[in-house]
Amino acid sequence: QVHLVQSGGGSVQAGGSLRVGCEASGVTQDYCMGWFRQAPGKQREAVFTSFIADGSTNYADSVKGRFTIPENYAWNTLTLYMNNLRPEDTAVYYCAALQTSPSRCRSLVSGSPLTEDATWGQGTQVTVSS
C-alpha cells in the first residue's frame, strides 16, 4: 500500500524560495511520482513528474528553470525546491504516486488530464505575496 506524507510549504514574498517534501512508502519501480498543484477555482495541474524506473524528470513550462528536484534523488524522498516564486504559484501542492507508462508520466506536465488512479499526499499550502 502506497503512503505519502508531505512537509514544508508556507508563505513567502515574490522572488523568494520554499520547498515541499514528500516521504513515500510502498512505491515500486513502475511508479510515476509527481508534484501537482491546485489554485482556487482552477484544475489540479502537474508541475513535475518522474518515472522511477528510468529516473526521467519532467517539468511544466510554467515552472521550468525555477522549480527543481535534486539529481539522483531518492525515489522515496521527493523534495521540490521552488525558487523565484511568483504570486501565480500560490496553490495547494500535492505529492502523487501512480502506476502508468513512462510516456504518460511525461505527458502529465504538458496538461494531459490525469485518468489513472493516484495516491495523494495530504496537500501543502504555498502562498506567494506580491
Side-chain angles (χ1 to χ4, degrees), residues 8-130:
S11 298
V12 70
Q13 288 192 322
S17 299
L18 289 171
R19 64 180 181 181
V20 285
C22 178
E23 298 284 337
S25 59
V27 174
T28 55
Q29 292 279 312
D30 60 342
Y31 270 75
C32 171
M33 297 291 297
W35 279 103
F36 290 68
R37 68 185 182 186
Q38 187 164 20
K42 293 191 176 181
Q43 298 266 25
R44 191 171 297 190
E45 61 174 354
V47 296
F48 168 84
T49 60
S50 176
F51 194 74
I52 293 176
D54 62 15
S56 57
T57 56
N58 315 285
Y59 294 89
D61 287 343
S62 58
V63 305
K64 204 171 289 183
R66 301 187 299 120
F67 290 14
T68 186
I69 299 280
E71 289 188 16
N72 302 316
Y73 73 93
W75 57 264
N76 59 343
T77 305
L78 193 67
T79 302
L80 182 68
Y81 291 86
M82 303 179 290
N83 301 306
N84 192 19
L85 282 160
R86 304 167 180 168
E88 55 263 39
D89 295 317
T90 295
V92 178
Y93 283 70
Y94 296 91
C95 179
L98 57 147
Q99 287 181 292
T100 191
S101 67
S103 60
R104 275 287 296 150
C105 189
R106 279 194 304 273
S107 72
L108 292 171
V109 297
S110 300
S112 179
L114 181 63
T115 56
E116 297 89 340
D117 288 334
T119 299
W120 299 94
Q122 76 272 25
T124 303
Q125 179 68 47
V126 169
T127 302
V128 185
S129 58
S130 57

